[in-house]
Amino acid sequence: MPAACESVLEDIEDIVSAEDLKPRDRQFVRKNVFPKVRKRNSQKNVQADDEPPSDSIIPGVQKIWIRTWGCSHNNSDGEYMAGQLAAYGYKITDDSAEADLWLLNSCTVKNPAEDHFRNSIKKAQEGKKKVVLAGCVPQAQPRQEYLKGLSIIGVQQIDRVVEVVEETIKGHSVRLLGQKKDNGKRLGGARLDLPKIRKNPLIEIISINTGCLNACTYCKTKHARGDLASYSIEELVDRAKQSFQEGVCEIWLTSEDTGAYGRDIGTDLPTLLWKLVEVIPEGAMLRLGMTNPPYILEHLEEMAKILNHPRVYAFLHIPVQSASDSVLMDMKREYCVADFKQVVDFLKEKVPGITIATDIICGFPGETDEDFQETMKLVELYRFPSLFINQFYPRPGTPAAKMPQVPAAVKKQRTKDLSQLFHSYNPYDHKVGERQRVLVTEESFDSNYYVAHNPFYEQVLVPKDPLLMGKMVEVNIYEAGKHFMKGQPVSDARVHTASITRPLAKGEVSGLTEEFRRAPQNGTNWKAQPSAEIPEKTQLSSWMALQLPWQQEGGGLKILSVSLALLAVLVMFYYGGMKTEL
């Protein structure tokens, strides 16, 4: 044995040297140690409890308030975003105060709409709410000062709203503003079969294309929506079929310019409409959205035939904007007043009773008194039953904003004069006493009536009888106002039930096709589960790479495989470490 091993320790205390402190000395030293007491920052601790670390937040259980401004296209986007969030497990609430996050879906057409949007952002921040921005304002100008540090979901990226919301709830700022493309070709946008919550379960809004072919000098929407990109006819027909199977009885076709539909994919609007009317059930109706004069001119004959179809409203929204050719030229509208009159005159002749709605801008830069009087004469000539009057607002970044402006007082007076002319006539007085067929789809703003529309998409108020909702009935018109008529249902008339099936309940998620219903069974938990099942839930910290079930086929199996592989590695390291210690 080596010498070092000759001495044997009888006790563990034998290893204490003579220089070490004895137990009594240690006790003496301990008495002279005075602990320093630190004051706790109670406020800081409370704040820490209120705002846990981002990795401890469970996504998919928060309440979200959604506010949408603007056109029906924007409303459709809002419905899709609500549907995806609800399908994932978030609660969509009508109470902004109780919401954890505000999703603000903006409109960039007019200054007042953007002002409301900006004020809502400020209010959300003051209320310590998480904020996600959507719509045309942030898409067109994402670098505006008041948008800094906020999450943005682009108009073509709405199928990724769940990812953006989850990252925002975790305290991150996310911006997705790219375009949807297929082999380099721009697409119409996100898929049409995404989950959706319809604001009105009886009305489906279908965007047939995004963007347009024009370059109007006053328009900011072009900066956000871009050039024309159309959905295929097959996609649109499938969406219409799905809607009718979910109890919808009225479809609105929308876009920035429906008349331009299909020019980018080798088809046209009449071809789409003929395919759609084939799948509309009895008692249901189709409403066509806004179209600019240049593109409808090419299809007048076919459009007249379609607008005479019994399941298509004899209604068309054709913005004229001004009756002065010089103003139209400055606007770069690509038509003259004669073109607009040709469209209106032809349709009025071929589609008896048709409703033509139009838009007019008052006080566009360079508009003279003579120009404005031409516009007044046009309104007096046609007495449009539906007229959207807009005082000109220069939108930042548009050519019109750099033009010499009409004085504000003049713009205001012209708007007032045109409004007075519009309210000087009653378009429905001659219809009192008529018997009309109407489709009942919603409740009036004052909640005193149900709102229906006759074949010309004229508004008819009917009694609030729950049996009428979603039905096509006959009524006797007994009163007329500026914007509506009132009708009494005819007792012996036949009632048409348009819906193939029971309509979805208000707030119920539509578009949950078999693919989405099957997703949880395939290992992808896209809807929030109780806390005991949270480990199954996909983590979205790597949101750039992740796609939800409606974005990637087989995504759930891939995630499950990766998870199992990681688990195996951890187990191997654990047991390997134990063997090393032993």
Side-chain angles (χ1 to χ4, degrees):
M1 267 290 181
C5 297
E6 290 178 356
S7 61
V8 178
L9 291 175
E10 296 294 334
D11 193 276
I12 190 65
E13 291 181 359
D14 290 346
I15 68 173
V16 179
S17 67
E19 292 79 19
D20 289 330
L21 292 174
K22 301 297 185 289
R24 185 181 63 181
D25 298 326
R26 287 196 194 97
Q27 184 66 24
F28 176 81
V29 172
R30 195 175 291 124
K31 290 180 180 179
N32 291 278
V33 175
F34 300 94
K36 183 178 180 181
V37 179
R38 288 191 300 175
K39 293 183 178 179
R40 292 185 178 182
N41 189 338
S42 58
Q43 186 63 32
K44 183 177 179 180
N45 292 338
V46 171
Q47 186 176 0
D49 292 339
D50 290 343
E51 298 182 7
S54 62
D55 59 359
S56 70
I57 295 175
I58 302 171
V61 298
Q62 290 77 16
K63 295 180 180 179
I64 298 177
W65 179 65
I66 302 176
R67 173 70 192 277
T68 295
W69 293 265
C71 64
S72 53
H73 191 167
N74 232 30
N75 277 276
S76 178
D77 287 352
E79 291 179 349
Y80 274 123
M81 289 189 284
Q84 292 171 83
L85 291 167
Y88 193 73
Y90 290 103
K91 176 177 172 53
I92 308 302
T93 178
D94 293 327
D95 186 352
S96 60
E98 73 169 10
D100 301 293
L101 179 143
W102 287 13
L103 174 54
L104 304 175
N105 189 19
S106 61
C107 171
T108 191
V109 172
K110 302 178 188 177
N111 286 8
E114 184 170 349
D115 290 342
H116 286 303
F117 174 62
R118 186 187 294 109
N119 292 336
S120 294
I121 294 174
K122 184 179 179 181
K123 186 176 180 180
Q125 292 171 329
E126 291 173 349
K128 306 298 182 184
K129 305 291 186 182
K130 302 289 187 180
V131 183
V132 172
L133 309 179
C136 293
V137 172
Q139 180 74 54
Q141 286 186 298
R143 296 181 180 177
Q144 292 189 82
E145 185 66 28
Y146 72 94
L147 303 181
K148 283 186 177 180
L150 299 175
S151 292
I152 296 175
I153 180 80
V155 294
Q156 285 212 322
Q157 298 291 332
I158 60 172
D159 57 338
R160 302 186 68 182
V161 66
V162 170
E163 302 168 60
V164 176
V165 165
E166 291 213 353
E167 291 302 312
T168 303
I169 286 174
K170 292 176 182 178
H172 304 150
S173 177
V174 181
R175 295 193 169 199
L176 295 180
L177 294 165
Q179 304 292 322
K180 296 285 186 193
K181 293 184 179 181
D182 182 18
N183 294 323
K185 182 177 176 61
R186 185 166 177 265
L187 301 176
R191 282 168 47 181
L192 295 176
D193 61 351
L194 294 172
K196 187 177 192 179
I197 295 180
R198 299 185 183 94
K199 186 176 180 181
N200 184 337
L202 297 174
I203 298 176
E204 166 70 4
I205 306 172
I206 303 179
S207 172
I208 63 174
N209 57 265
T210 190
C212 67
L213 296 173
N214 299 329
C216 300
T217 57
Y218 57 83
C219 182
K220 189 75 174 176
T221 306
K222 177 79 172 187
H223 297 188
R225 297 285 181 178
D227 293 326
L228 178 70
S230 305
Y231 287 98
S232 70
I233 290 179
E234 292 73 22
E235 283 181 278
L236 295 166
V237 171
D238 286 345
R239 182 64 193 180
K241 288 179 179 177
Q242 178 184 326
S243 301
F244 291 128
Q245 290 167 359
E246 293 174 340
V248 164
C249 61
E250 186 170 287
I251 285 183
W252 297 356
L253 299 186
T254 184
S255 77
E256 283 64 57
D257 187 352
T258 58
Y261 169 79
R263 285 172 168 257
D264 58 318
I265 58 173
T267 186
D268 54 43
L269 181 62
T271 302
L272 168 65
L273 295 176
W274 284 124
K275 291 291 185 181
L276 285 172
V277 295
E278 292 177 4
V279 301
I280 301 175
E282 183 180 5
M285 296 294 289
L286 173 70
R287 191 196 80 174
L288 187 59
M290 185 273 289
T291 176
N292 285 310
Y295 306 113
I296 204 70
L297 269 170
E298 302 176 15
H299 308 296
L300 282 179
E301 289 283 353
E302 284 300 299
M303 290 303 300
K305 294 177 184 176
I306 291 167
L307 292 169
N308 275 307
H309 193 283
R311 295 175 192 173
V312 178
Y313 285 117
F315 167 88
L316 204 56
H317 180 190
I318 315 171
V320 64
Q321 305 300 5
S322 174
S324 165
D325 285 341
S326 63
V327 172
L328 291 174
M329 186 177 297
D330 290 339
M331 291 179 173
K332 288 193 175 180
R333 289 291 289 168
E334 299 183 8
Y335 60 87
C336 61
V337 179
D339 294 331
F340 175 80
K341 288 182 176 179
Q342 180 183 349
V343 172
V344 175
D345 293 342
F346 183 89
L347 292 177
K348 279 182 169 290
E349 178 186 352
K350 300 295 184 179
V351 189
I354 186 174
T355 296
I356 300 293
T358 195
D359 299 359
I360 289 175
I361 296 174
C362 296
F364 185 82
E367 182 187 63
T368 64
D369 288 337
E370 291 75 18
D371 295 329
F372 179 68
Q373 288 306 314
E374 290 299 317
T375 300
M376 293 283 281
K377 291 176 184 176
L378 184 77
V379 174
E380 182 66 49
L381 173 65
Y382 289 108
R383 295 187 164 232
F384 302 103
S386 182
L387 177 62
F388 302 96
I389 302 170
N390 303 292
Q391 180 177 317
F392 175 75
Y393 289 98
R395 301 296 290 129
T398 62
K402 301 176 183 178
M403 298 177 180
Q405 301 295 306
V406 173
V410 175
K411 291 191 292 186
K412 187 174 181 179
Q413 185 60 48
R414 288 176 184 173
T415 304
K416 182 179 179 180
D417 291 344
L418 186 57
S419 297
Q420 287 178 342
L421 173 58
F422 174 60
H423 286 94
S424 68
Y425 58 87
N426 294 316
Y428 306 130
D429 284 353
H430 65 287
K431 297 197 173 189
V432 174
E434 289 185 359
R435 182 165 173 166
Q436 298 183 355
R437 177 174 54 88
V438 299
L439 178 59
V440 185
T441 55
E442 52 194 317
E443 186 177 78
S444 63
F445 286 115
D446 61 9
S447 299
N448 293 328
Y449 298 92
Y450 280 162
V451 177
H453 292 90
N454 63 18
F456 310 107
Y457 203 69
E458 296 164 336
Q459 186 171 271
V460 179
L461 304 180
V462 299
K464 281 187 67 173
D465 180 355
L467 296 177
L468 298 178
M469 186 57 72
K471 307 292 194 306
M472 186 170 283
V473 299
E474 290 189 7
V475 298
N476 287 322
I477 303 299
Y478 65 89
E479 184 181 332
K482 175 62 181 176
H483 302 286
F484 64 88
M485 291 169 276
K486 290 183 180 179
Q488 185 64 38
V490 179
S491 58
D492 59 345
R494 181 185 173 191
V495 175
H496 294 277
T497 301
S499 303
I500 297 175
T501 185
R502 178 190 64 82
L504 299 178
K506 189 173 180 62
E508 188 175 350
V509 180
S510 78
L512 290 179
T513 58
E514 189 60 30
E515 174 189 358
F516 307 126
R517 300 181 193 282
R518 198 170 55 241
Q521 301 171 12
N522 288 344
T524 303
N525 188 0
W526 52 268
K527 186 171 182 179
Q529 300 294 328
S531 56
E533 299 177 348
I534 286 171
E536 297 178 11
K537 194 170 195 281
T538 304
Q539 295 297 320
L540 289 182
S541 57
S542 57
W543 59 268
M544 288 297 290
L546 176 68
Q547 288 183 310
L548 298 171
W550 48 86
Q551 298 168 323
Q552 175 177 321
E553 186 175 352
L557 291 175
K558 293 179 182 178
I559 293 170
L560 181 61
S561 300
V562 172
S563 301
L564 291 174
L566 289 173
L567 181 61
V569 171
L570 291 172
V571 170
M572 182 178 67
F573 273 106
Y574 176 74
Y575 283 106
M578 288 186 65
K579 288 179 180 179
T580 301
E581 292 178 6
L582 293 173

